[in-house]
Amino acid sequence: MSLPASVSRRISQLKADHNAPLCAYVYDLPALEKHVKALRQILPSNCELFYAAKANPEAPVLKTLAHWVDGFEAASGGELSWLHEQCPGQPLIFGGPGKLDHELEIAMEYRISAFHVESVTELRSLARIARQRSVRAPVMLRLNLKLAQAPQSRLVMGGIPTPFGLDDEGLAAALQLVREEPSLELKGLHFHLLSHQLDVDAHLELIRSYFLTFRQLCADHDLQLPVLNVGGGMGINYQNAAQSFDWPRFCQGLKVLIDEHEMGATCVRFEIGRFISAACGYYVMQVLDIKSSHGQFFAIGRGGTHHFRTPAAQGHDHPFSVIRGNQPAQLNDQPVTLVGQLCTPKDVLAKQQPVAELAIGDLLVFTLAGAYAWNISHQNFLMHEPPLKVFIED
Ligand SMILES: *Cc1c(COP(=O)(O)O)cnc(C)c1O
């Protein structure tokens, strides 16, 4: 895969500026901005785009996105405070299981746009805290239901046991509580039932079943709800990035669905992580050693899965490019396994990948490293130094 010129230039410059073997994250902020702007621009007019910060909460990433998204989703009290600090004034929504009372209180102080309620216990705590403060808490109920006309897909997690959201029984209890509690203001319903979705048609069918379920519940319970949150989960094809989730085609189909199901007066909110930030990040490791072991080649790079856990977490061979140094090639059109510096056989970033040329001192540049990468990694394991972090600006 070829690298954008501005990225290769920056990486070469970094290498020139550092004597020690290079290990760095590089984030292409202009590319991120262009991408999110394009995503936002073709969404139908009644839709909103929130960024799920857990995918990558680096401050420059959030600040770049802040101009183009409608707000941010926090999955913990820590993220909520960080977002409040980094992007003051931006609408925030707060999800995730096991929220502390203290976090609910902070969220009320921040006047967040919505609490994504994951359980009846949480809804009770929210009601109690809002009552004590004489405020009304805006509530979205996260649902885990068997959906109306749900598509058959192994990816859909609706209607099976999970710690997330409310099942039918939970929903009945929650609606009862909302009716009795003036401190709770029910704003809408929330679904986030899958991730790694690559199939646009399957996703449109899922959205259709969200729409049907939403309308059915509103009719059955005599509710007028302004918001339907349809989650995130649009996938990146790590083996062939060009075959990632086809957003333009999805937006066309979405517009048709909105019209067909008369959802135009409802705010349809997306909260997307991976699909927004994955492509802007690069993880760079300089090759420290190349060796052969029982007939297979290994290249050992500076860094590893303690910085970049994505390949281990996904169980895949992560895509990469090579920036050659000035040493003659030690490998020519040969398969090589790319590993890091950890004393565990699990520290593998890509297995038996063919490389045209490779030598000690070359740079391995892993692409699609901007989501669920640095921040999901076991950074303190073995006490290696952290990577450099570089943000390319205009
Ligand atoms: C993680 C998460 C998201 C974002 O998922 P992506 O696959 O990164 O788009 C959205 N909503 C909820 C509730 C989540 O937990």
Side-chain angles (χ1 to χ4, degrees), residues 50-56 73-75 93 95-97 116 118 142 164 190-197 229-235 270-277 371-372:
F50 276 58
Y51 175 61
K54 79 174 189 285
N56 182 337
E73 190 246 2
I93 55 183
H116 290 180
E118 301 267 359
R142 179 169 181 183
F164 310 114
H190 173 219
F191 295 96
H192 173 71
L193 293 182
L194 53 72
S195 56
H196 300 290
Q197 174 67 276
N229 185 318
V230 295
M234 289 72 191
F270 290 82
E271 47 179 19
I272 297 176
R274 185 185 310 273
F275 194 67
I276 292 179
S277 62
Y372 304 103

Side-chain angles (χ1 to χ4, degrees), residues 43-329:
L43 263 179
S45 58
N46 64 312
C47 296
E48 287 185 350
L49 180 61
F50 276 58
Y51 175 61
K54 79 174 189 285
N56 182 337
E58 296 287 351
V61 167
L62 299 177
K63 287 176 183 178
T64 301
L65 294 174
H67 299 285
W68 303 105
V69 295
D70 296 284
F72 292 96
E73 190 246 2
S76 75
E79 277 187 3
L80 194 66
S81 294
W82 175 248
L83 287 163
H84 180 74
E85 195 181 308
Q86 297 302 322
C87 303
Q90 283 278 323
L92 302 176
I93 55 183
F94 182 21
K99 297 182 190 73
L100 304 174
D101 283 1
H102 173 65
E103 295 173 323
L104 296 175
E105 283 164 11
I106 287 176
M108 273 177 218
E109 249 153 57
Y110 295 164
R111 299 174 174 278
I112 67 165
S113 306
F115 290 86
H116 290 180
V117 170
E118 301 267 359
S119 81
V120 177
T121 310
E122 188 183 303
L123 189 62
R124 286 205 191 95
S125 304
L126 191 61
R128 171 175 43 78
I129 294 167
R131 212 186 307 128
Q132 282 161 1
R133 299 178 153 243
S134 310
V135 296
R136 294 193 84 199
V139 170
M140 300 277 293
L141 298 176
R142 179 169 181 183
L143 303 182
N144 171 9
L145 304 177
K146 284 225 184 338
L147 297 169
Q149 294 178 29
Q152 295 301 308
S153 161
R154 65 185 177 83
L155 289 169
V156 177
M157 302 183 293
I160 59 167
T162 76
F164 310 114
L166 302 158
D167 63 7
D168 299 274
E169 218 175 291
L171 174 61
L175 289 174
Q176 173 82 20
L177 193 59
V178 165
R179 270 192 209 98
E180 292 164 0
E181 267 292 350
S183 66
L184 299 175
E185 184 184 8
L186 185 60
K187 290 279 195 188
L189 305 177
H190 173 219
F191 295 96
H192 173 71
L193 293 182
L194 53 72
S195 56
H196 300 290
Q197 174 67 276
L198 293 172
D199 182 337
V200 166
D201 294 314
H203 207 66
L204 287 168
E205 281 311 298
L206 183 65
I207 301 271
R208 182 198 297 283
S209 59
Y210 290 166
F211 286 178
L212 288 167
T213 304
F214 179 82
R215 300 210 60 123
Q216 188 69 52
L217 287 173
C218 286
D220 290 352
H221 300 277
D222 195 19
L223 300 167
Q224 260 112 41
L225 301 178
V227 187
L228 170 63
N229 185 318
V230 295
M234 289 72 191
I236 295 288
N237 186 329
Y238 285 93
Q239 303 321 313
N240 183 353
Q243 285 175 23
S244 293
F245 191 80
D246 185 344
W247 182 258
R249 196 160 79 73
F250 174 70
C251 286
Q252 279 175 11
L254 179 62
K255 179 78 185 91
V256 174
L257 278 184
I258 287 168
D259 294 342
E260 257 176 49
H261 295 276
E262 296 176 13
M263 290 293 289
T266 305
C267 166
V268 176
R269 183 177 288 160
F270 290 82
E271 47 179 19
I272 297 176
R274 185 185 310 273
F275 194 67
I276 292 179
S277 62
C280 80
Y282 300 82
Y283 178 58
V284 185
M285 293 167 100
Q286 188 161 352
V287 177
L288 302 172
D289 198 357
I290 294 178
K291 62 190 271 190
S292 136
S293 172
H294 297 281
Q296 286 192 7
F297 287 108
F298 290 82
I300 295 133
R302 177 161 188 196
T305 52
H306 55 304
H307 295 164
F308 181 46
R309 201 168 73 88
T310 315
Q314 295 304 321
H316 69 204
D317 295 316
H318 206 91
F320 64 98
S321 295
V322 174
I323 300 182
R324 288 277 287 124
N326 41 27
Q327 298 303 311

